[in-house]
Amino acid sequence: MTFNPSRRSLLTALGAAPLVLSAKGAFAAGFPNKAVNLVVWSGAGGALDTYGRQLAELLTKEAGWTVSVQNRPGGSGAVGVSTVLAQKADGYNILVCTGTLTFGIAQGLIPFKLEDLRYVRAMQAEPSSVAVRADSPFKTLDDFVASMRDNPNKLRVGGHAPAGFHQFILYQLGKIGKFEAGWIPHDASGKVPLSLLGGHMDVAIMTPSSGLSQVESGEIRLLGISTEERSPFFPNVPTFKEQGYDIVDSVWRGIAVHGKTPDDVMGKIQEAIDKVEASQDWLDFQKREKQENINLGEQAYTQLVQRQLATQSEFLKSVGLIQ
């Protein structure tokens, strides 16, 4: 919020400025003076929950905060957003969210506007991948695409969230490979590899970290990954692009707060996140979880979600999900 100098002069004339300004300053200086809630909009388990819990641990260790984690899955993120927006705009309820935010807003699944939130920091980015069980006959993306084209109703394909980032990746594969596909959505990314291994799906479109232990053990095979070049974390996995499917994209994870949160409180949260991202524990966590550090502050983060809302709206219109 921008403070109007003429309003400040009026408050001073009325003798109210010292009380108002000192109260605001004392609030910001003491933030946080009680527990802060990290509201994770997905269920327990999975990449977003793992990120949220590591963030909570390091906010405690590096910034001295008292932090609790609340999982609020449902409604493609709407439950988590609603939880935060129903509380005071005081910074004590912080949303832990992903790039599926803009998909949900575009479709009306998340019944809010981008402006209802302030975007504190985007901290992670991770590509999508096409994953199969170790016993799958598919060895390459071409194998998968050919099967989808020749037997459109045979394979069960799914991933996290309805009409979100991973279904968008499948849609792009379908456009290039000339096939159409159904979609089995899951409300937590951690459920996706379990569903794949349990035989409830034949192919998963997922972030590699969602099933990292299963990928590393060889239970799950990645047919391709949506990075520009081969990932240093998965050097043996060919990119979509090198297999003839020109798709390069990633999903972000980050935090946001109520859109009316004051600038001074935002500053305190940003300072705490700076301490987290500078810590060796955070760098080790990112490496262990195969995550890219993107470190986008409020301005760049806001511009990112605005761009994504525009481009994803075009995709959703093209598949008839929005008008």
Side-chain angles (χ1 to χ4, degrees), residues 208-256:
S209 69
S210 299
L212 186 57
S213 63
Q214 295 94 336
V215 171
E216 291 180 334
S217 71
E219 295 175 90
I220 288 178
R221 179 169 61 251
L222 302 183
L223 303 183
I225 196 168
S226 64
T227 48
E228 177 70 38
E229 299 176 346
R230 290 205 181 194
S231 167
F233 300 127
F234 306 98
N236 296 323
V237 179
T239 66
F240 292 170
K241 194 171 182 178
E242 71 181 89
Q243 296 182 79
Y245 302 89
D246 192 5
I247 303 168
V248 178
D249 208 346
S250 61
V251 63
W252 54 261
R253 300 186 190 94
I255 57 173

Side-chain angles (χ1 to χ4, degrees), residues 148-321:
M148 291 295 292
R149 189 168 52 238
D150 298 340
N151 304 281
N153 299 313
K154 182 178 179 180
L155 296 180
R156 297 162 298 170
V157 185
H160 180 229
F165 171 68
H166 298 293
Q167 190 174 358
F168 181 41
I169 294 294
L170 179 63
Y171 164 77
Q172 293 177 80
L173 280 170
K175 284 190 68 176
I176 297 171
K178 296 181 172 54
F179 68 82
E180 295 183 357
W183 183 253
I184 303 172
H186 296 73
D187 65 6
S189 60
K191 294 180 180 179
V192 176
L194 299 179
S195 179
L196 179 64
L197 291 174
H200 305 293
M201 294 191 302
D202 301 300
V203 180
I205 314 298
M206 68 180 205
T207 50
S209 69
S210 299
L212 186 57
S213 63
Q214 295 94 336
V215 171
E216 291 180 334
S217 71
E219 295 175 90
I220 288 178
R221 179 169 61 251
L222 302 183
L223 303 183
I225 196 168
S226 64
T227 48
E228 177 70 38
E229 299 176 346
R230 290 205 181 194
S231 167
F233 300 127
F234 306 98
N236 296 323
V237 179
T239 66
F240 292 170
K241 194 171 182 178
E242 71 181 89
Q243 296 182 79
Y245 302 89
D246 192 5
I247 303 168
V248 178
D249 208 346
S250 61
V251 63
W252 54 261
R253 300 186 190 94
I255 57 173
V257 292
H258 196 297
K260 294 182 179 180
T261 303
D263 288 343
D264 50 0
V265 173
M266 279 285 290
K268 291 292 182 181
I269 300 173
Q270 296 280 15
E271 289 174 10
I273 298 300
D274 286 341
K275 293 177 181 177
V276 168
E277 291 194 318
S279 71
Q280 189 60 48
D281 284 344
W282 172 256
L283 297 176
D284 291 343
F285 166 73
Q286 290 285 81
K287 184 177 181 179
R288 185 171 64 249
E289 295 297 316
K290 320 298 186 190
Q291 300 295 319
E292 179 186 352
N293 280 301
I294 53 174
N295 192 22
L296 299 182
E298 184 178 11
Q299 182 177 357
Y301 189 5
T302 302
Q303 291 171 348
L304 172 64
V305 296
Q306 289 170 341
R307 288 196 305 271
Q308 288 185 330
L309 182 61
T311 57
Q312 292 163 2
S313 293
E314 293 175 4
F315 149 65
L316 293 167
K317 287 178 182 178
S318 73
V319 296
L321 291 173

Side-chain angles (χ1 to χ4, degrees), residues 10 12 20 46 54-55 62 72 78 170 172 208 261 311 322:
L10 176 60
T12 302
V20 173
Q54 181 67 30
L55 179 58
E62 302 295 335
R72 293 289 183 268
L170 179 63
Q172 293 177 80
T261 303
T311 57
I322 63 174

